[in-house]
Amino acid sequence: MVFSSNVFLFLFLPVFLGLYYISGNRYRNLLLLVASYIFYAWWRVDFLALFAGVTLWNYWIGLKVGAAGVRTKPAQRWLLLGVGVDLCILGYFKYANFGVDSLNAIMTSMGLEPFILTHVLLPIGISFYIFESISYIIDVYRGDTPATRNLIDFAAFVAIFPHLIAGPVLRFKDLVDQFNNRTHTLDKFSEGCTRFMQGFIKKVFIADTLAVVADHCFALQNPTTGDAWLGALAYTAQLYFDFSGYSDMAIGLGLMMGFRFMENFKQPYISQSITEFWRRWHISLSTWLRDYLYITLGGNRKGTFNTYRNLFLTMLLGGLWHGANFTYIIWGAWHGLWLAIERALGLDTNPQRFNPVKWAFTFLLVVVGWVIFRAENLHVAARMYGAMFSFGDWQLSELNRAQLTGLQVATLIVAYLTLAFFGLRDFYRNATPAQAPRTPVQINTDGSIGLDWTRVMTRALVLLLFVASVLKLSAQSYSPFLYFQF
């Protein structure tokens, strides 16, 4: 089941929210757990057993680590066992096919018989719930959170359906208090509805429209320079609006249930360095990699060379996390290389002024990286890069012109205007003192009720676009979120 589906919008969500709000606080976490398991089992019931098994395993390991004591040798042994099993499960389901295929390619080239392995199906969301489970037992080991004895709360944390399939990557220590005591207000519910609708619009109106352009350009066998750059720019916008749209919907659903999740995107395409980009893009993953991988490797505590090595290895493994393909490994290495270079140059990664040259160079690096991230294999990536940097024919090929519609062109323009407007607004807003958030309804000093008409009209526009998006969704074919595959 996905958020952008009629089954979720008109059946699952209203039934769940109705039951959620008529049940008492005592039963809401249990209801959330049951609903999340139904949500996951809608895809495949058999993988629900694996999901529940991973949850029980890490719950038990957390108890053992907690009982052994913070940072003790026995606790370390339990931690290594827990992390080892988690990584073996992730490794088998995510990388077994890749490993056997790579080995068979080598064996075939040597004239040997290849291994036969039944294709291993990748469970949806396994990377996310494995990472969240690992972070929990590490936090218990470090003493950042006590081991919970409440199995329902822990299982609900791992399974909570708003973030289950594609993040954000949450941490138990950040949500444990909300599981025990969270508020449910009309303002929070209204904020959640608005946030959900914004994400839905991003996904259905923009990302799904641009997906057709990107898919077609990357499928061309002989793309021109214009074709290749059009495909790269279309995918750059598609990925952001698709993934940030999902995160908006997840955060919005959490607010409807009284939870406040961390932000996952902060206008990343306004960044003026790759270091700043990773502070703004997929924040929950980048902070996870920093806290549980980069710091574990030694961070910047063991000399300059080791700092650069740790940055590079962190991003290399971060690329591998995205999937079993050499394209993801190279993409991770690309970002790791630039992070190390920026650290070596002492680059200002928290700029107070907007420098168009730095921004343009950073954006170019990001777009170039997205090409190999999107490519099915190295051959497709090489074909796209060859066309992009041959600087030959900037005209679109006849095949591309025949497929491209006015709506797609207009959507691409609107997407980048939206990115520019909200990116610059975010940059200059951060340079001024923060103001208290406003709500559409204000109580005046004389006790009368006033309306913030700007915010009222904005929310009315969001509602109108949401309704239009639902109509568009009903008329189009199924389009999954891009990060489901990770």
Side-chain angles (χ1 to χ4, degrees), residues 41-358:
W42 203 274
W43 171 64
R44 281 183 67 109
V45 175
D46 51 346
F47 277 120
L48 182 59
L50 173 68
F51 186 27
V54 169
T55 301
L56 288 171
W57 168 255
N58 286 278
Y59 170 75
W60 181 71
I61 287 292
L63 291 177
K64 291 295 185 180
V65 172
V70 174
R71 296 183 182 272
T72 62
K73 284 294 183 182
Q76 186 181 60
R77 287 193 290 269
W78 283 113
L79 173 65
L80 291 176
L81 175 63
V83 172
V85 171
D86 286 338
L87 292 180
C88 284
I89 293 171
L90 181 63
Y92 172 74
F93 283 100
K94 196 157 188 175
Y95 306 108
N97 296 325
F98 175 68
V100 171
D101 290 344
S102 300
L103 180 60
N104 284 342
I106 296 173
M107 295 182 67
T108 302
S109 67
M110 298 171 61
L112 301 175
E113 289 294 323
F115 286 106
I116 304 298
L117 175 70
T118 302
H119 183 77
V120 178
L121 187 64
L122 178 66
I124 287 180
I126 188 172
S127 297
F128 289 93
Y129 69 72
I130 288 288
F131 265 33
E132 287 165 349
S133 299
I134 289 175
S135 70
Y136 165 70
I137 58 178
I138 291 177
D139 286 341
V140 172
Y141 170 77
R142 291 175 174 175
D144 293 333
T145 187
T148 181
R149 294 188 174 275
N150 192 321
L151 177 59
I152 299 300
D153 284 1
F154 178 73
F157 154 72
V158 178
I160 184 170
F161 71 84
H163 80 101
L164 174 59
I165 304 299
V169 183
L170 303 179
R171 307 185 197 187
F172 185 75
K173 67 178 182 179
D174 296 330
L175 288 182
V176 60
D177 291 339
Q178 297 186 58
F179 272 101
N180 296 329
N181 183 26
R182 58 185 179 273
T183 59
H184 303 84
T185 65
L186 182 60
D187 283 345
K188 185 180 284 188
F189 190 88
S190 175
E191 181 187 354
C193 290
T194 303
R195 191 66 180 270
F196 179 86
M197 289 189 290
Q198 289 173 343
F200 194 91
I201 294 165
K202 283 183 177 181
K203 163 64 177 171
V204 176
F205 254 165
I206 300 180
D208 285 357
T209 302
L210 296 181
V212 180
V213 180
D215 292 348
H216 180 71
C217 290
F218 274 83
L220 292 173
Q221 295 302 309
N222 295 293
T224 65
T225 298
D227 293 332
W229 278 103
L230 175 63
L233 291 173
Y235 181 71
T236 297
Q238 178 206 353
L239 182 60
Y240 170 74
F241 283 100
D242 188 285
F243 192 20
S244 70
Y246 181 94
S247 294
D248 285 342
M249 283 187 266
I251 292 169
L253 289 169
L255 287 167
M256 293 181 203
M257 293 181 284
F259 292 97
R260 191 169 290 278
F261 300 154
M262 71 178 298
E263 292 294 332
N264 211 21
F265 291 88
K266 292 183 179 178
Q267 305 301 331
Y269 290 154
I270 202 66
S271 302
Q272 298 180 60
S273 66
I274 295 298
T275 304
E276 184 186 0
F277 174 79
W278 279 103
R279 293 194 189 120
R280 294 173 174 270
W281 175 274
H282 202 347
I283 300 168
S284 63
L285 175 63
S286 62
T287 54
W288 195 101
L289 293 172
R290 179 197 65 198
D291 295 343
Y292 300 107
L293 185 55
Y294 176 70
I295 291 177
T296 301
L297 289 171
N300 58 1
R301 302 187 303 273
K302 298 182 179 180
T304 302
F305 173 79
N306 287 335
T307 297
Y308 302 152
R309 180 205 64 186
N310 295 338
L311 282 170
F312 183 80
L313 286 177
T314 297
M315 293 310 302
L316 188 70
L317 294 172
L320 186 61
W321 174 88
H322 282 83
N325 196 321
F326 287 114
T327 56
Y328 295 124
I329 297 173
I330 295 173
W331 172 79
W334 171 255
H335 279 268
L337 175 65
W338 284 104
L339 287 175
I341 290 174
E342 289 175 359
R343 176 66 68 91
L345 295 176
L347 198 67
D348 178 13
T349 58
N350 190 26
Q352 300 302 310
R353 287 185 174 184
F354 182 72
N355 186 317
V357 175
K358 289 183 178 179

